[in-house]
């Protein structure tokens, strides 16, 4: 059985819940960096017909496909979703707007070109928004689309965000089933750059079938490889999402999300090696069994320190971190290669 077939079989057993087509899947506020300064953010996940790749099987860790709509939202629905999201910006004076679709903003099956143009026009006219980031798979980044976006956005900065996950084509294919190559990513980044558009690369720490040590080595190597093509590198820590291939491994005791000590170590090595690249990580679900975790005593403090580093880019905020479980993590690094993928600790 191919990995894609295994993922598709799991997807076929899930039900997508009916939901209002004119409401975004999610909207939240946060903080990020712009030109070295902290800035507020508004993130919107548009509810669309969903990621074409995810619907065909797709990535082993991705549960976002279940956020999509059963029936494709109309153009009016999509624009109402934006209205509802901007309402949440309330009285914020300035914020960066991040657009996700649980797929690709530039896939015209998800967001028709006319709607895309209307959305960008609205954002360009909003003086509170100095920068827009839109997530997409690389195959949708073309000269035509970049030209259109920058033409509409004018002086508003624009960035594409791509879920590269790893620079290894083997891991991306056999562990994540991502369906594109590193060369596809570099082509997208170079196309964007020609139009003055920056690139953010998302990496994924510890996809299935990798030991803790292999996963760390993969990300350190991936930061080296992606840095020439990415202004910002954001390292996601794999968490166990519902209805995914990763969840099926986890339920059988064959997968554990990464240790937070691993990302601390990665940052300590990667940041000094790439001082001009913004390196970030937001440990989603940190401290929970499905999320990245150390022991109960230190997980939340370590996750907070990682978030603090992301906003300051100052690795000294990680210096004071310590806990008895560090010894256990070091033991895992020693032994994890010998367990044929089964987790040593839950
Ligand atoms: S991770 Fe991205 S590309 Fe992969 S299935 Fe999910 S939405 Fe699609
Ligand atoms: Zn601990």
């Amino acid at each position: 059985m191919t990995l894609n077939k295994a993922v598709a079989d799991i997807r076929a057993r899930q039900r997508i819940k009916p939901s209002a087509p004119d409401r975004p899947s999610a909207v939240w506020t946060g903080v990020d960096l712009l030109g070295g300064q902290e800035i507020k953010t508004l993130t919107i996940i548009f509810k669309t017909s969903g990621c074409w790749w995810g619907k065909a099987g797709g990535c082993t860790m991705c549960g976002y496909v279940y956020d999509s709509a059963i029936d494709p939202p109309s153009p009016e629905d999509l624009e109402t979703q934006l209205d509802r999201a901007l309402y949440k910006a309330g009285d914020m004076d300035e914020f960066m707007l991040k657009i996700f679709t649980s797929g690709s903003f530039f896939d015209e099956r998800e967001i028709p070109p006319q709607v895309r143009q209307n959305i960008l026009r609205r954002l360009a006219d909003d003086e509170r928004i100095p920068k827009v980031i839109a997530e997409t798979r690389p195959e949708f980044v073309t000269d035509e689309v970049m030209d259109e976006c920058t033409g509409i956005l004018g002086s508003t900065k624009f960035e594409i965000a791509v879920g590269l996950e790893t620079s290894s084509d083997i891991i991306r294919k056999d562990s994540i089933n991502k369906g594109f190559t590193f060369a596809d990513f570099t082509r997208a980044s170079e196309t964007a750059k020609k139009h003055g558009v920056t690139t953010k690369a998302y990496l994924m720490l510890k996809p299935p079938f990798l030991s803790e040590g292999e996963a760390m080595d993969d990300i350190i190597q991936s930061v080296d490889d992606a840095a020439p093509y990415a202004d910002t590198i954001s390292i996601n820590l794999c968490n166990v999402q519902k209805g995914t291939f990763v969840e099926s491994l986890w339920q059988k005791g064959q997968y554990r999300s990464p240790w937070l000590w691993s990302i601390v170590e990665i940052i300590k090595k990667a940041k000094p090696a790439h001082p001009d690249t913004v390196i970030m990580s937001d440990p989603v679900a940190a401290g929970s069994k499905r999320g990245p975790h150390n022991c109960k005593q230190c997980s939340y403090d370590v996750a907070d320190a990682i978030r603090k580093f992301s906003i300051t880019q100052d690795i000294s905020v990680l210096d004071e971190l310590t806990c008895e479980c560090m010894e256990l993590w070091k033991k895992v690094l020693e032994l994890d290669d010998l367990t044929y993928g089964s987790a040593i600790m839950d």
Side-chain angles (χ1 to χ4, degrees), residues 51 53-54 58-59 61-62 65 102-103 137 178:
C51 171
W53 178 247
C59 305
M61 71 300 178
C62 176
V65 286
S102 300
R137 286 176 59 92
K178 192 81 195 184

Side-chain angles (χ1 to χ4, degrees), residues 66-176:
Y66 308 119
D67 290 340
S68 58
I70 295 175
D71 299 314
S74 67
E76 295 73 31
D77 287 335
L78 289 166
E79 290 188 40
T80 306
Q81 290 186 32
L82 179 66
D83 291 338
R84 292 185 189 277
L86 287 175
Y87 182 75
K88 285 223 173 176
D91 51 8
M92 285 201 277
D93 296 335
E94 187 184 48
F95 57 94
M96 191 196 291
L97 194 101
K98 300 184 180 183
I99 303 173
F100 294 81
T101 68
S102 300
S104 296
F105 181 62
F106 301 127
D107 182 349
E108 299 184 353
R109 291 163 290 191
E110 292 188 61
I111 306 273
Q114 190 63 51
V115 177
R116 176 175 74 217
Q117 290 155 17
N118 290 347
I119 289 172
L120 294 177
R121 232 169 259 127
R122 287 272 307 279
L123 304 180
D125 288 346
D126 193 325
E127 287 177 355
R128 300 171 300 167
I129 305 176
K131 180 172 175 179
V132 174
I133 303 182
E135 193 180 40
T136 183
R137 286 176 59 92
E139 62 265 35
F140 300 111
V141 179
T142 62
D143 280 313
E144 293 71 34
V145 171
M146 291 299 99
D147 203 35
E148 174 202 291
C149 294
T150 50
I152 295 172
L153 284 171
S155 61
T156 305
K157 291 189 170 67
F158 190 43
E159 184 161 278
I160 56 163
V162 179
L164 170 66
E165 320 298 7
T166 166
S167 64
S168 160
D169 282 340
I170 294 171
I171 294 172
R172 196 177 322 89
K173 177 170 172 284
D174 293 340
S175 193
I176 303 177

Side-chain angles (χ1 to χ4, degrees), residues 103-287:
S104 296
F105 181 62
F106 301 127
D107 182 349
E108 299 184 353
R109 291 163 290 191
E110 292 188 61
I111 306 273
Q114 190 63 51
V115 177
R116 176 175 74 217
Q117 290 155 17
N118 290 347
I119 289 172
L120 294 177
R121 232 169 259 127
R122 287 272 307 279
L123 304 180
D125 288 346
D126 193 325
E127 287 177 355
R128 300 171 300 167
I129 305 176
K131 180 172 175 179
V132 174
I133 303 182
E135 193 180 40
T136 183
R137 286 176 59 92
E139 62 265 35
F140 300 111
V141 179
T142 62
D143 280 313
E144 293 71 34
V145 171
M146 291 299 99
D147 203 35
E148 174 202 291
C149 294
T150 50
I152 295 172
L153 284 171
S155 61
T156 305
K157 291 189 170 67
F158 190 43
E159 184 161 278
I160 56 163
V162 179
L164 170 66
E165 320 298 7
T166 166
S167 64
S168 160
D169 282 340
I170 294 171
I171 294 172
R172 196 177 322 89
K173 177 170 172 284
D174 293 340
S175 193
I176 303 177
N177 191 42
K178 192 81 195 184
F180 65 76
T181 63
F182 187 62
D184 293 327
F185 163 76
T186 59
R187 184 207 57 78
S189 163
E190 280 167 349
T191 302
K193 196 173 184 181
K194 264 193 278 168
H195 296 269
V197 175
T198 52
T199 295
K200 177 176 191 172
Y202 286 104
L203 300 178
M204 168 67 58
L205 175 62
K206 204 167 180 238
F209 313 129
L210 266 62
S211 67
E212 194 79 21
E214 286 169 338
M216 288 175 66
D217 291 346
D218 170 51
I219 293 299
I220 290 167
Q221 181 64 49
S222 295
V223 173
D224 288 347
D225 295 336
Y229 304 96
D231 306 81
T232 301
I233 294 179
S234 180
I235 304 169
N236 287 330
L237 313 186
C238 191
N239 60 74
V240 180
Q241 297 181 3
K242 288 209 163 56
T244 60
F245 179 80
V246 165
E247 185 187 50
S248 73
L249 292 180
W250 175 72
Q251 284 164 338
K252 288 181 258 183
Q254 295 173 357
Y255 180 78
R256 185 210 190 271
S257 290
W259 286 73
L260 293 164
W261 292 129
S262 299
I263 182 67
V264 169
E265 188 70 14
I266 289 166
I267 292 169
K268 283 182 175 173
K269 288 201 170 129
K271 184 62 197 177
H274 300 281
D276 297 334
T277 307
V278 175
I279 297 178
M280 316 195 92
S281 183
D282 180 9
V284 174

